[in-house]
PDB file of all heavy atoms in Angstrom:
ATOM      1  N   ASN I 703       5.663  -6.500  20.336  1.00  0.00           N
ATOM      2  CA  ASN I 703       4.294  -6.535  20.732  1.00  0.00           C
ATOM      3  C   ASN I 703       4.107  -6.967  22.072  1.00  0.00           C
ATOM      4  O   ASN I 703       5.114  -7.449  22.772  1.00  0.00           O
ATOM      5  CB  ASN I 703       3.501  -7.290  19.718  1.00  0.00           C
ATOM      6  CG  ASN I 703       2.130  -6.569  19.345  1.00  0.00           C
ATOM      7  OD1 ASN I 703       1.624  -5.858  20.234  1.00  0.00           O
ATOM      8  ND2 ASN I 703       1.793  -6.629  18.129  1.00  0.00           N
ATOM      9  N   LYS I 704       2.859  -7.046  22.508  1.00  0.00           N
ATOM     10  CA  LYS I 704       2.669  -7.495  23.989  1.00  0.00           C
ATOM     11  C   LYS I 704       2.359  -8.998  23.994  1.00  0.00           C
ATOM     12  O   LYS I 704       1.885  -9.537  23.107  1.00  0.00           O
ATOM     13  CB  LYS I 704       1.382  -6.728  24.527  1.00  0.00           C
ATOM     14  CG  LYS I 704       1.525  -5.330  24.696  1.00  0.00           C
ATOM     15  CD  LYS I 704       0.154  -4.712  25.222  1.00  0.00           C
ATOM     16  CE  LYS I 704       0.375  -3.152  25.563  1.00  0.00           C
ATOM     17  NZ  LYS I 704      -0.891  -2.670  26.043  1.00  0.00           N
ATOM     18  N   VAL I 705       2.794  -9.563  25.241  1.00  0.00           N
ATOM     19  CA  VAL I 705       2.385 -10.935  25.492  1.00  0.00           C
ATOM     20  C   VAL I 705       1.444 -10.813  26.811  1.00  0.00           C
ATOM     21  O   VAL I 705       1.687  -9.896  27.600  1.00  0.00           O
ATOM     22  CB  VAL I 705       3.469 -11.792  25.710  1.00  0.00           C
ATOM     23  CG1 VAL I 705       4.372 -12.076  24.371  1.00  0.00           C
ATOM     24  CG2 VAL I 705       4.470 -11.338  26.805  1.00  0.00           C
ATOM     25  N   PHE I 706       0.653 -11.791  26.992  1.00  0.00           N
ATOM     26  CA  PHE I 706      -0.358 -11.766  28.110  1.00  0.00           C
ATOM     27  C   PHE I 706      -0.350 -12.959  28.915  1.00  0.00           C
ATOM     28  O   PHE I 706      -0.194 -14.101  28.434  1.00  0.00           O
ATOM     29  CB  PHE I 706      -1.746 -11.590  27.560  1.00  0.00           C
ATOM     30  CG  PHE I 706      -1.960 -10.397  26.529  1.00  0.00           C
ATOM     31  CD1 PHE I 706      -1.519 -10.532  25.188  1.00  0.00           C
ATOM     32  CD2 PHE I 706      -2.377  -9.213  27.069  1.00  0.00           C
ATOM     33  CE1 PHE I 706      -1.767  -9.533  24.312  1.00  0.00           C
ATOM     34  CE2 PHE I 706      -2.544  -8.185  26.028  1.00  0.00           C
ATOM     35  CZ  PHE I 706      -2.253  -8.380  24.695  1.00  0.00           C
ATOM     36  N   THR I 707      -0.374 -12.827  30.222  1.00  0.00           N
ATOM     37  CA  THR I 707      -0.573 -13.834  31.231  1.00  0.00           C
ATOM     38  C   THR I 707      -1.339 -13.449  32.289  1.00  0.00           C
ATOM     39  O   THR I 707      -1.613 -12.317  32.535  1.00  0.00           O
ATOM     40  CB  THR I 707       0.990 -14.153  31.799  1.00  0.00           C
ATOM     41  OG1 THR I 707       1.561 -13.105  32.389  1.00  0.00           O
ATOM     42  CG2 THR I 707       1.839 -14.856  30.737  1.00  0.00           C
ATOM     43  N   ASN I 708      -1.872 -14.421  33.051  1.00  0.00           N
ATOM     44  CA  ASN I 708      -2.815 -14.233  34.122  1.00  0.00           C
ATOM     45  C   ASN I 708      -2.115 -13.565  35.207  1.00  0.00           C
ATOM     46  O   ASN I 708      -0.930 -13.883  35.512  1.00  0.00           O
ATOM     47  CB  ASN I 708      -3.527 -15.411  34.551  1.00  0.00           C
ATOM     48  CG  ASN I 708      -4.909 -15.576  33.903  1.00  0.00           C
ATOM     49  OD1 ASN I 708      -5.495 -14.609  33.672  1.00  0.00           O
ATOM     50  ND2 ASN I 708      -5.227 -16.891  33.496  1.00  0.00           N
ATOM     51  N   SER I 709      -2.769 -12.690  36.009  1.00  0.00           N
ATOM     52  CA  SER I 709      -2.218 -12.122  37.126  1.00  0.00           C
ATOM     53  C   SER I 709      -3.259 -12.214  38.315  1.00  0.00           C
ATOM     54  O   SER I 709      -4.281 -12.702  38.250  1.00  0.00           O
ATOM     55  CB  SER I 709      -1.910 -10.564  37.021  1.00  0.00           C
ATOM     56  OG  SER I 709      -3.094  -9.933  36.708  1.00  0.00           O
ATOM     57  N   GLU I 710      -2.774 -11.869  39.457  1.00  0.00           N
ATOM     58  CA  GLU I 710      -3.633 -11.999  40.771  1.00  0.00           C
ATOM     59  C   GLU I 710      -4.784 -10.993  40.628  1.00  0.00           C
ATOM     60  O   GLU I 710      -5.855 -11.293  41.200  1.00  0.00           O
ATOM     61  CB  GLU I 710      -2.850 -11.814  41.932  1.00  0.00           C
ATOM     62  CG  GLU I 710      -1.827 -12.832  42.128  1.00  0.00           C
ATOM     63  CD  GLU I 710      -0.989 -12.582  43.433  1.00  0.00           C
ATOM     64  OE1 GLU I 710      -1.227 -11.606  44.046  1.00  0.00           O
ATOM     65  OE2 GLU I 710      -0.100 -13.374  43.659  1.00  0.00           O
ATOM     66  N   GLY I 711      -4.769  -9.891  39.923  1.00  0.00           N
ATOM     67  CA  GLY I 711      -5.751  -8.962  39.798  1.00  0.00           C
ATOM     68  C   GLY I 711      -6.745  -9.323  38.722  1.00  0.00           C
ATOM     69  O   GLY I 711      -6.711 -10.418  38.170  1.00  0.00           O
ATOM     70  N   LYS I 712      -7.705  -8.410  38.519  1.00  0.00           N
ATOM     71  CA  LYS I 712      -8.808  -8.606  37.512  1.00  0.00           C
ATOM     72  C   LYS I 712      -8.226  -8.553  36.111  1.00  0.00           C
ATOM     73  O   LYS I 712      -8.784  -9.286  35.103  1.00  0.00           O
ATOM     74  CB  LYS I 712      -9.871  -7.597  37.724  1.00  0.00           C
ATOM     75  CG  LYS I 712     -10.644  -7.745  39.001  1.00  0.00           C
ATOM     76  CD  LYS I 712     -11.729  -6.700  38.983  1.00  0.00           C
ATOM     77  CE  LYS I 712     -12.652  -6.798  40.268  1.00  0.00           C
ATOM     78  NZ  LYS I 712     -13.660  -5.860  40.445  1.00  0.00           N
ATOM     79  N   LEU I 713      -7.245  -7.759  35.988  1.00  0.00           N
ATOM     80  CA  LEU I 713      -6.629  -7.539  34.489  1.00  0.00           C
ATOM     81  C   LEU I 713      -5.494  -8.380  34.324  1.00  0.00           C
ATOM     82  O   LEU I 713      -4.698  -8.878  35.251  1.00  0.00           O
ATOM     83  CB  LEU I 713      -6.315  -6.102  34.191  1.00  0.00           C
ATOM     84  CG  LEU I 713      -7.453  -5.124  34.431  1.00  0.00           C
ATOM     85  CD1 LEU I 713      -6.900  -3.662  34.291  1.00  0.00           C
ATOM     86  CD2 LEU I 713      -8.551  -5.397  33.413  1.00  0.00           C
ATOM     87  N   ALA I 714      -5.270  -8.890  32.986  1.00  0.00           N
ATOM     88  CA  ALA I 714      -4.165  -9.634  32.666  1.00  0.00           C
ATOM     89  C   ALA I 714      -2.853  -8.783  32.781  1.00  0.00           C
ATOM     90  O   ALA I 714      -2.775  -7.615  32.808  1.00  0.00           O
ATOM     91  CB  ALA I 714      -4.391 -10.093  31.313  1.00  0.00           C
ATOM     92  N   ARG I 715      -1.757  -9.542  32.868  1.00  0.00           N
ATOM     93  CA  ARG I 715      -0.442  -8.847  32.932  1.00  0.00           C
ATOM     94  C   ARG I 715       0.092  -8.815  31.540  1.00  0.00           C
ATOM     95  O   ARG I 715       0.166  -9.785  30.744  1.00  0.00           O
ATOM     96  CB  ARG I 715       0.557  -9.734  33.731  1.00  0.00           C
ATOM     97  CG  ARG I 715       1.915  -9.110  33.936  1.00  0.00           C
ATOM     98  CD  ARG I 715       2.647  -9.913  35.063  1.00  0.00           C
ATOM     99  NE  ARG I 715       3.894  -9.360  35.369  1.00  0.00           N
ATOM    100  CZ  ARG I 715       5.107  -9.676  34.798  1.00  0.00           C
ATOM    101  NH1 ARG I 715       5.162 -10.656  33.982  1.00  0.00           N
ATOM    102  NH2 ARG I 715       6.190  -9.091  35.223  1.00  0.00           N
TER     103      ARG I 715
END
Side-chain angles (χ1 to χ4, degrees):
N703 223 321
K704 290 180 179 179
V705 297
F706 305 84
T707 54
N708 265 323
S709 64
E710 296 180 359
K712 293 183 179 180
L713 299 178
R715 186 171 185 264

